[in-house]
Amino acid sequence: QVQLVESGGGSVQAGGSLRLSCAASGLIYSGYCMGWFRQDPGKEREGVAKIDRNGNPWYADSVKGRVTISKDSANNTLYLQMNSLKPEDTAMYYCAANYPWCTWLRYNHWGQGTQVTVSS
């Protein structure tokens, strides 16, 4: 059974930083595409960043240059380092995993989310 557990969310002021973590279990982690998504109430879910099985990252234009996605295959953990946070980054952030495709659209497994709140 695949399980994804996010942590690291919180409340910060604009300009601050947060590092989100996603602990994965029940899957062959290194073969999966892993992604971070976010959703604010009343808005559509948005892809933030993804990283394929080879470690190639992709970022949404809205966060490019401010966030870094990385994965620790030895510990089955995915990270999202977020810097220069803006109030518009406020959302619930979700970790997701998919095999074998690495798109923005289709993910088989999702975590429960961690809340990020950025105040101005």
Side-chain angles (χ1 to χ4, degrees):
Q1 181 178 355
V2 176
Q3 188 173 20
L4 303 174
V5 179
E6 302 94 335
S7 61
S11 297
V12 297
Q13 290 191 327
S17 298
L18 282 174
R19 189 193 196 199
L20 306 184
S21 299
C22 172
S25 60
L27 51 76
I28 303 175
Y29 184 74
S30 61
Y32 273 70
C33 173
M34 304 294 297
W36 287 100
F37 294 78
R38 65 186 182 187
Q39 189 169 21
D40 210 16
K43 297 182 181 179
E44 290 188 359
R45 187 174 60 201
E46 174 189 21
V48 177
K50 59 187 176 81
I51 187 166
D52 68 14
R53 68 181 75 181
N54 296 316
N56 299 306
W58 285 270
Y59 300 99
D61 288 342
S62 58
V63 301
K64 201 171 291 182
R66 299 190 295 118
V67 308
T68 303
I69 188 171
S70 60
K71 61 179 182 178
D72 180 349
S73 295
N75 293 305
N76 284 8
T77 303
L78 180 73
Y79 301 101
L80 187 71
Q81 177 68 43
M82 302 191 294
N83 302 321
S84 302
L85 283 162
K86 303 176 181 180
E88 50 263 45
D89 293 319
T90 295
M92 185 72 78
Y93 283 71
Y94 298 91
C95 170
N98 193 65
Y99 181 86
W101 311 114
C102 201
T103 73
W104 290 111
L105 299 177
R106 183 184 300 172
Y107 283 77
N108 293 330
H109 309 287
W110 293 86
Q112 293 300 307
T114 185
Q115 178 68 37
V116 171
T117 302
V118 184
S119 58
S120 58

